[in-house]
Amino acid sequence: GNSVTQMEGPVTLSEEAFLTINCTYTATGYPSLFWYVQYPGEGLQLLLKATKADDKGSNKGFEATYRKETTSFHLEKGSVQVSDSAVYFCALSDPSSNTGKLIFGQGTTLQVKP
Amino acid sequence: DTGVSQDPRHKITKRGQNVTFRCDPISEHNRLYWYRQTLGQGPEFLTYFQNEAQLEKSRLLSDRFSAERPKGSFSTLEIQRTEQGDSAMYLCASRDRYYEQYFGPGTRLTVT
């Protein structure tokens, strides 16, 4: 079945460090891919998305490229800030149905220290 | 655009009691989704509505769970005879025409 696997956390970085959070997926067909972020005490917010192979999604300094050949959608940021501390979820839109339901990874906690 | 709202934000109930949660989606969104999130996990799909029609239910949604969306506006999720395993965050999302889902803050259910 369709699934998403993220690297385990927590990931702890110093401010201004480079961030990579790995995400790989299994899907039949061609899913859309998403990164959501959950700040402490808040709901899930869409961070970025990509709808087809080789698309790059970007927002707030974060980027991810849809790699069909490696079935990956890794999240990157060149210089993290303390305010980026949150839980990050990779997700795909199930291509095997037209419901649009999302399948999420287990989440990766990012802690950025000053 | 006031975003997706959910009520209540927190609910503590005793095992065996019934609970009902409400979700108000973004007004122009015709698709509405319910998910459940347990600690340390990503959200899992429960069910979805297109307008007032409930079009898919997950196997996670046992017969103790029921969801409605009368008139295609707000939605309710009811859990009957709650069990401790029902303790989780219940999330609601609505979807725009660009296929982006917007999530509410969630209702945290604790069953004692």
Side-chain angles (χ1 to χ4, degrees):
Chain A
N2 302 307
S3 65
V4 175
T5 303
Q6 293 181 231
M7 64 187 284
E8 294 216 6
V11 173
T12 303
L13 296 173
S14 297
E15 209 164 21
E16 299 183 4
F18 185 86
L19 168 72
T20 300
I21 300 178
N22 290 339
C23 170
T24 57
Y25 67 89
T26 301
T28 52
Y30 304 97
S32 294
L33 301 173
F34 305 84
W35 277 100
Y36 280 82
V37 58
Q38 189 170 37
Y39 297 103
E42 297 185 18
L44 284 164
Q45 299 175 25
L46 178 63
L47 183 59
L48 54 84
K49 71 175 186 182
T51 57
K52 61 183 188 297
D54 300 325
D55 267 3
K56 178 186 283 189
S58 61
N59 186 25
K60 300 181 182 179
F62 290 89
E63 293 182 340
T65 301
Y66 189 143
R67 299 285 189 203
K68 184 168 176 290
E69 64 276 10
T70 54
T71 61
S72 64
F73 193 55
H74 305 321
L75 183 68
E76 296 182 334
K77 186 176 186 184
S79 176
V80 293
Q81 305 301 311
V82 172
S83 57
D84 294 325
S85 299
V87 183
Y88 292 81
F89 293 93
C90 185
L92 66 80
S93 179
D94 185 353
S96 63
S97 73
N98 65 359
T99 67
K101 67 185 179 188
L102 295 174
I103 296 170
F104 286 86
Q106 77 272 29
T108 302
T109 299
L110 171 65
Q111 261 187 332
V112 181
K113 298 191 172 178
Chain B
D1 180 354
T2 57
V4 178
S5 61
Q6 292 187 246
D7 184 68
R9 295 290 303 273
H10 303 273
K11 178 71 177 179
I12 300 173
T13 190
K14 292 185 176 179
R15 191 176 55 185
Q17 298 295 303
N18 299 345
V19 294
T20 300
F21 312 139
R22 177 180 171 125
C23 170
D24 286 272
I26 295 170
S27 57
E28 62 268 27
H29 292 180
N30 64 0
R31 287 201 182 194
L32 184 149
Y33 299 81
W34 285 97
Y35 294 85
R36 182 171 70 187
Q37 185 179 18
T38 53
L39 203 60
Q41 300 298 316
E44 295 175 291
F45 170 78
L46 292 178
T47 189
Y48 105 101
F49 292 84
Q50 180 154 336
N51 300 311
E52 67 276 9
Q54 187 176 16
L55 296 182
E56 184 171 329
K57 294 193 287 187
S58 161
R59 285 171 293 175
L60 292 175
L61 217 63
S62 76
D63 56 7
R64 296 184 297 106
F65 288 70
S66 62
E68 293 183 341
R69 192 182 182 197
K71 302 179 184 176
S73 56
F74 70 92
S75 177
T76 57
L77 178 68
E78 181 184 14
I79 309 174
Q80 296 182 326
R81 305 181 303 280
T82 52
E83 301 173 355
Q84 286 188 322
D86 297 331
S87 295
M89 178 76 86
Y90 290 85
L91 299 170
C92 175
S94 65
R95 196 183 85 165
D96 69 9
R97 60 194 178 99
Y98 299 107
Y99 306 100
E100 296 179 5
Q101 291 190 25
Y102 294 81
F103 283 80
T107 295
R108 181 168 296 285
L109 173 65
T110 302
V111 181
T112 61

